[in-house]
Amino acid sequence: MLRNSHTAAGPHAPIRVGQGPRFALFGALAVAAGVACSNTSADQVTAPVALGMTSNIAAYYQDQNTTMYEVQVAVPLPVKKPSDSQVQSLGPPPAGTPYAHAPYLKNADESVEGHFTISNLDDQQHVVWMLIDPWNEFVRWSPGVTVVNDEQTTPNYGYDLVFVVPGKSRVEGTLTTDDMHEIAIKLASAQNVLASPQAQPQPPGMGNMNAFNSTGIVNNIFNPQNRSNANDPIYTPWIPPVIAGLTGFDLGLRTYEAANVAVEVTLDVQDLNGDRFVKADSTDPQLGPPPVTLSPVGARF
């Protein structure tokens, strides 16, 4: 759902422990505290998270044909950190899932809706990508780029939305509850792909026999135009029977030219389980970012 004061146009594994994506901020304010709808409720509206990009930042990626500028900031959801007894009671991972154990937070335990404003501070029009790279309690998605050949480099997908923002104007929109549930399904499905035996390195001497393009599959899954309820023959087989809920995401901006742009996001969070989110007036510990970063096979950063 979009609103624009002028015009807008809508859309386009290695595992590393304890390592997150690249961050760069200017004029950005990331507020971890939430502003509650009720002082005694875990249902809340988070304080705004703002992220800015200036025209003098270094390129995120550059070769002879492609220059990309990108900035990111972490946006954790106020998920309550489970107690030791809760962790012990979770049990083994359900069959057909890529998790280390049964999820503490499931997709059905939460309702998250995001409201965003993208601002162009320059006089000229810019094409601006808003990036949502999701987390669950197990992994943090970091897509990077794929170098196809000497003349072609393409960014791998997170949940990426593109907007044409005229000079000195802004675009407003909403990531609906359905969108956020879909993002959780996409991350769980990508985990399933990259945990599959087909995605593992081939033994020496096997060459490209029965080559399995896991990067192509996860890019198809994460493409916002592809949805889990559409019976996509590439996406659908990888959807786990149990979906881990979103615990946060990395909010990003991308342009292919130097630009002065910004995005601000607030989130409406509802605790549908009743005991998975920290109340706004509580000092209970929060889950925070996951310890493992997951990326497509061969991704570069």
Side-chain angles (χ1 to χ4, degrees):
M1 182 183 301
L2 299 176
R3 297 182 300 277
N4 190 322
S5 56
H6 293 275
T7 57
H12 159 15
I15 293 179
R16 305 186 298 285
V17 178
Q19 183 178 11
R22 176 180 176 273
F23 295 96
L25 292 175
F26 175 84
L29 174 66
V31 183
V35 179
C37 301
S38 164
N39 286 337
T40 60
S41 174
D43 298 346
Q44 55 195 277
V45 178
T46 66
V49 175
L51 172 69
M53 175 190 292
T54 67
S55 58
N56 60 2
I57 68 167
Y60 166 71
Y61 180 87
Q62 187 169 27
D63 60 27
Q64 291 182 347
N65 299 294
T66 303
T67 300
M68 291 189 295
Y69 300 91
E70 192 169 308
V71 292
Q72 284 189 316
V73 64
V75 184
L77 295 178
V79 179
K80 184 186 298 183
K81 186 175 181 179
S83 66
D84 291 342
S85 61
Q86 284 178 307
V87 172
Q88 292 170 5
S89 69
L90 292 174
T97 68
Y99 313 129
H101 53 73
Y104 164 70
L105 179 73
K106 299 182 180 69
N107 209 11
D109 292 336
E110 64 183 351
S111 173
V112 181
E113 183 172 274
H115 306 278
F116 62 87
T117 301
I118 301 173
S119 300
N120 180 3
L121 308 180
D122 293 330
D123 292 327
Q124 68 270 32
Q125 173 180 286
H126 290 301
V127 177
V128 180
W129 294 79
M130 184 177 73
L131 315 176
I132 305 291
D133 294 337
W135 317 345
N136 58 32
E137 63 196 87
F138 304 102
V139 297
R140 178 181 200 163
W141 184 244
S142 181
V145 302
T146 292
V147 178
V148 180
N149 53 47
D150 291 342
E151 298 181 350
Q152 183 181 359
T153 298
T154 61
N156 296 312
Y157 271 107
Y159 194 79
D160 303 342
L161 302 175
V162 62
F163 306 94
V164 177
V165 189
K168 301 295 186 183
S169 74
R170 63 187 184 183
V171 172
E172 297 178 345
T174 299
L175 292 167
T176 67
T177 299
D178 285 345
D179 291 333
M180 301 303 279
H181 277 299
E182 179 68 25
I183 291 169
I185 296 170
K186 288 177 179 294
L187 177 57
S189 302
Q191 283 180 263
N192 238 2
V193 172
L194 296 175
S196 68
Q198 302 101 303
Q200 307 313 307
Q202 298 241 357
M206 293 295 291
N208 289 324
M209 292 178 60
N210 301 317
F212 178 75
N213 184 6
S214 62
T215 297
I217 294 172
V218 297
N219 278 325
N220 177 277
I221 288 170
F222 264 111
N223 188 324
Q225 298 181 58
N226 299 328
R227 309 292 283 195
S228 58
N229 60 359
N231 294 318
D232 184 304
I234 297 176
Y235 184 171
T236 301
W238 298 102
I239 300 173
V242 177
I243 305 298
L246 289 181
T247 61
F249 56 90
D250 294 310
L251 172 66
L253 291 170
R254 177 191 298 140
T255 64
Y256 287 84
E257 60 187 358
N260 294 289
V261 294
V263 61
E264 182 176 281
V265 173
T266 59
L267 301 169
D268 296 332
V269 180
Q270 295 183 51
D271 186 347
L272 303 181
N273 183 288
D275 66 351
R276 289 299 188 262
F277 285 80
V278 173
K279 294 179 175 63
D281 61 347
S282 172
T283 59
D284 290 344
Q286 298 187 19
L287 186 62
V292 173
T293 299
L294 183 67
S295 299
V297 173
R300 297 190 187 180
F301 300 90

